[in-house]
Amino acid sequence: MRAAKRLLPALVGVLTIAACSDEGADKTAPNPGTGGTKTVAAVPVPVGGGFDFYVLSLSWSPTWCGSNDPSGKSDQCEAGSRRGLIVHGLWPQNEKGYPEYCPTRQSDRVPESLGRQYLDLIPSMGLIGHQWRKHGTCSGLSQADYFAVARAARERLTIPPELASTEKSRDLPVSVIEAALIAKNPGMTPETIAVTCEARLLEEIRICFDKTLKFRACPEVDRQACRRGAVSLPPAP
């Protein structure tokens, strides 16, 4: 009996330690869907199908506005907008070529209630609708998921200071643009990036992602890049 009494406090201590250990384990590795502490892992994006990878196309807005809306009638090009790189689109791509205008049960029209959620990325309902019809329909995703992936892709990308300013015109070597992007985005390589130009002006920067939005090489896209050594970045209106 005395031996049992002496063992009782030790047994309680062991059980207490075990309970504390289990509690700590629950906090660091909760069971998904049980209401436990959220994990720090990135939220997975919807995965599309029927293509090989994505191209995120970023348009230098002042170049587009200078050619297409010099009077600034659109929201994108209005005076004081100060827009630089905007999302032109997220394009499903194949290793050779790309699909477009694919048959889908989804509507051709993007509801305004959905499109307005993305005007900070794609500052035109017309462009939002066009991107869905030409490219989004080939993603294997719903409209909502396609645009959610477009936002996620843009948010995976850090824009370096060299490409952030829209106040004055400047010339940048293409190699400097690529190096600045690579320095700010671990995992990116020169083969991930294609800089395109309209004559001597910066037109677009195209970034290649796999279906889970990890940077990847895209040789065919890269071959379509601008062959100029440097491009000019006109200022925003």
Side-chain angles (χ1 to χ4, degrees), residues 40 46 51 149 214:
V40 296
F51 61 98
V149 175
K214 294 178 182 177

Side-chain angles (χ1 to χ4, degrees), residues 55-61 64 68 76 84-92 98 101 118-136 146-147 150-151 154 157 196 198 203-207:
V55 173
L56 178 68
S57 175
L58 302 176
S59 171
W60 184 250
S61 187
W64 188 90
N68 299 277
Q76 177 180 343
L85 288 172
I86 66 162
V87 174
H88 181 181
L90 182 71
W91 304 339
Y98 56 88
Y101 298 108
Y118 295 92
L119 287 175
D120 59 318
L121 296 183
I122 310 174
S124 163
M125 282 296 298
L127 181 55
I128 285 172
H130 173 71
Q131 291 303 308
W132 163 252
R133 288 186 291 274
K134 184 173 182 179
H135 301 288
Y146 169 71
F147 287 109
R151 181 178 293 283
R154 175 61 185 85
L157 186 67
T196 70
E198 182 180 305
E203 180 186 32
E204 293 183 354
I205 297 175
R206 298 171 181 172
I207 308 294

Side-chain angles (χ1 to χ4, degrees), residues 52-143:
D52 294 326
F53 62 96
Y54 288 116
V55 173
L56 178 68
S57 175
L58 302 176
S59 171
W60 184 250
S61 187
T63 298
W64 188 90
C65 291
S67 298
N68 299 277
D69 186 14
S71 60
K73 294 180 179 179
S74 65
D75 290 343
Q76 177 180 343
C77 304
E78 64 183 348
S81 62
R82 297 298 179 191
R83 290 191 174 93
L85 288 172
I86 66 162
V87 174
H88 181 181
L90 182 71
W91 304 339
Q93 192 88 10
N94 292 323
E95 299 297 345
K96 291 188 178 296
Y98 56 88
E100 58 181 344
Y101 298 108
C102 297
T104 175
R105 294 183 179 180
Q106 294 276 301
S107 172
D108 283 347
R109 180 181 174 275
V110 177
E112 189 168 342
S113 58
L114 175 62
R116 285 196 169 278
Q117 299 177 39
Y118 295 92
L119 287 175
D120 59 318
L121 296 183
I122 310 174
S124 163
M125 282 296 298
L127 181 55
I128 285 172
H130 173 71
Q131 291 303 308
W132 163 252
R133 288 186 291 274
K134 184 173 182 179
H135 301 288
T137 55
C138 301
S139 66
L141 299 171
S142 67
Q143 287 185 359

